[in-house]
Amino acid sequence: MPHANYLFTSESVSEGHPDKVSDQISDAIPDDSQINTRLGCETLCTTNKIVVAGEGRGQLFKTIHGISVVDRELITEIARGVVKDIGYDQNGFSYHGADVEVLLHGQSPDIAMGVNAKKKKGGEEEGAGDQGMMFGYACTESEVYEKGSYMPAPIYFAHKILKVLSDKRRAGRIFDLQPDAKSQVTVKYIDGKPVGCTKVVVSTQHNEKSRNGKTYTPGMVRDLIEDAVTSALPKGWMPQKSSDFLVNPTGNFVVGGPDGDCGLTGRKIIVDTYGGYAPHGGGAFSGKDPTKVDRSAAYATRYLAKNVVAAGLAERCTIQVAYAIGVADPMSVLVDTHGTGKVDEKKLEKVLPEVFRLTPTNIRRSLKLNRPIYRRTAAYGHFGRAPDKDGGFSWEQTNLVSQLKSAFK
């Protein structure tokens, strides 16, 4: 960052936010059939309407008279299941009442030709599914509060606030909350280190009336959630002034979710990554299979950046890669340690692709991305999460640390 002392703000949105409903539906579809499936899937959600569109090939499709046809009944069932799990059964948006329209079609043969594996020395290699640049980032600033996250504090705690509220809502420990919610935290930095929140904003959908029949006011909602929000933050971080903790600033949040605002896949790419703290290549993740480097290479660069920082080679690390469609190896690799590096950045640029090849095939196989691990990524961030036992968030592992330390003895 440009100053030693500054404020930085990041936002998060819950799994019930309209855009996140769309992201989760788009990610639940590749989860259903990972083997040999390619997918570029967009979902739109509005008042009692879900539209799933895009292109793909594999087990979700069948060929009739030479034409690739999608299994519409399966896609409809997947979409309804996601909405039900999130908790939407409202007049304006319901898992059983919403009309689901499926407009998926077969993948373009021109795209397929570029991506299909080609025999090369040492084995077959897939080409990148598209051109573009991707970024990965990691830092040590939140390690004193949340060990192992290697994430910027503002986005990490914005996510955590909403995750705590969601868990309590689902467990029935906070009544009268509905799925749609947003958070925003402003973190104060002194000498480049996060020390607390100066502002916290939470907007959360709720029932019109409480269980005792009283009409909810923002003050009542604040009383309902304040302890949970405080518990999500490090001790002493919650703002002390009541004016610095804003709850439902518009005054009411009864109509929410896709009934209150149209949702679309891929509109929360900054929420999905680093909260604006690091660059973004512009490509969304959800609804894309691992041949799409928008997703897989962003995971790979986060994996490498996190291992660089975990190995003690830098306190902050940004990695950029760029690809051309149909070409396996990246066009370029850039490493920036923002003046915190303990080793030469040019040597890192040489060593990292040797330790972990940045071809789509190696990324997919090494991180084991052909598994049903994607819907869980579509809310509360793709990064800063603990690796799951079944292989989810495999890019959050730090198993390259010893190799990197050996390379820079």
Side-chain angles (χ1 to χ4, degrees):
M1 301 301 295
H3 310 291
N5 302 328
Y6 56 93
L7 303 178
F8 194 90
T9 303
S10 293
E11 72 158 347
S12 180
V13 297
S14 72
E15 78 261 34
H17 185 279
D19 294 332
K20 283 292 149 197
V21 175
S22 297
D23 282 346
Q24 288 170 91
I25 292 172
S26 291
D27 270 343
I29 293 170
D31 270 2
D32 188 79
S33 181
Q34 275 293 309
I35 301 173
N36 297 322
T37 293
R38 291 185 190 160
L39 196 68
C41 175
E42 316 296 335
T43 302
L44 178 147
C45 295
T46 187
T47 302
N48 274 329
K49 181 76 173 183
I50 300 169
V51 180
V52 182
E55 45 81 25
R57 61 174 246 189
Q59 294 186 11
L60 295 172
F61 296 81
K62 53 188 176 181
T63 302
I64 300 177
H65 302 302
I67 299 173
S68 184
V69 179
V70 71
D71 188 336
R72 285 178 169 78
E73 290 185 2
L74 174 60
I75 302 299
T76 298
E77 181 182 337
I78 291 170
R80 293 194 190 282
V82 169
V83 174
K84 182 178 181 180
D85 180 65
I86 292 170
Y88 278 118
D89 189 11
Q90 305 167 358
N91 289 334
F93 193 72
S94 168
Y95 71 92
H96 57 81
D99 175 54
V100 181
E101 187 172 1
V102 180
L103 302 175
L104 286 169
H105 59 79
Q107 185 180 46
S108 161
D110 294 339
I111 294 176
M113 180 174 59
V115 177
N116 289 343
K118 301 173 180 64
K119 290 185 178 180
K120 290 189 175 183
K121 187 176 180 180
E124 291 189 339
E125 286 284 3
E126 299 162 340
D130 204 350
Q131 72 175 46
M133 64 281 192
M134 301 85 210
F135 291 88
Y137 179 79
C139 62
T140 60
E141 68 173 47
S142 60
E143 284 305 285
V144 65
Y145 304 108
E146 300 286 338
K147 192 168 179 59
S149 71
Y150 292 98
M151 287 290 285
I155 186 65
Y156 185 87
F157 291 110
H159 286 321
K160 190 173 180 182
I161 287 170
L162 294 185
K163 188 65 170 66
V164 168
L165 288 176
S166 174
D167 289 345
K168 290 183 180 295
R169 172 182 68 86
R170 286 174 172 272
R173 293 167 62 189
I174 297 183
F175 295 108
D176 295 334
L177 293 187
Q178 293 294 325
D180 194 359
K182 301 179 78 171
S183 69
Q184 184 173 286
V185 297
T186 300
V187 174
K188 182 178 182 178
Y189 287 78
I190 296 179
D191 293 330
K193 305 294 182 183
V195 297
C197 293
T198 62
K199 300 281 185 180
V200 174
V201 184
V202 178
S203 297
T204 181
Q205 186 187 11
H206 55 85
N207 293 339
E208 184 176 6
K209 295 181 181 294
S210 67
R211 293 196 164 196
N212 61 12
K214 291 184 178 180
T215 300
Y216 267 111
T217 65
M220 291 169 63
V221 178
R222 177 194 174 107
D223 291 341
L224 193 66
I225 68 171
E226 186 168 8
D227 286 347
V229 174
T230 301
S231 74
L233 297 171
K235 187 176 181 180
W237 273 43
M238 189 69 176
Q240 297 304 302
K241 293 182 180 179
S242 59
S243 59
D244 292 334
F245 176 38
L246 286 72
V247 177
N248 288 2
T250 62
N252 208 26
F253 194 178
V254 174
V255 178
D259 186 32
D261 190 12
C262 183
L264 189 65
T265 299
R267 280 204 302 214
K268 287 292 178 284
I269 59 176
I270 300 303
V271 171
D272 285 342
T273 52
Y274 307 103
Y277 212 84
H280 195 296
F285 300 158
S286 292
K288 297 177 180 177
D289 73 272
T291 69
K292 306 290 194 300
V293 284
D294 277 341
R295 177 170 225 156
S296 57
Y299 290 169
T301 50
R302 161 64 179 178
Y303 177 55
L304 290 177
K306 184 173 182 177
N307 276 271
V308 166
V309 174
L313 304 183
E315 293 181 11
R316 295 173 59 201
C317 182
T318 299
I319 298 175
Q320 186 211 47
V321 294
Y323 291 86
I325 187 169
V327 180
D329 289 305
M331 301 290 100
S332 64
V333 178
L334 171 71
V335 177
D336 184 358
T337 56
H338 308 278
T340 70
K342 310 296 192 297
V343 297
D344 183 66
E345 292 169 340
K346 291 298 181 184
K347 187 174 181 182
L348 272 171
E349 290 171 1
K350 180 177 183 298
V351 168
L352 291 177
E354 294 173 351
V355 170
F356 185 87
R357 291 194 65 214
L358 288 164
T359 65
T361 300
N362 185 64
I363 294 170
R364 178 174 59 80
R365 290 176 178 172
S366 296
L367 297 180
K368 298 180 172 59
L369 298 180
N370 280 112
R371 288 187 281 191
I373 57 174
Y374 293 116
R375 186 195 156 190
R376 71 191 76 170
T377 69
Y380 311 113
H382 292 246
F383 308 126
R385 313 273 289 270
D388 292 328
K389 290 182 180 179
D390 67 352
F393 301 101
S394 58
W395 49 93
E396 292 296 312
Q397 299 175 92
T398 52
N399 52 3
L400 295 180
V401 165
S402 60
Q403 288 178 262
L404 289 175
K405 285 182 175 180
S406 296
F408 289 95
K409 281 184 179 179

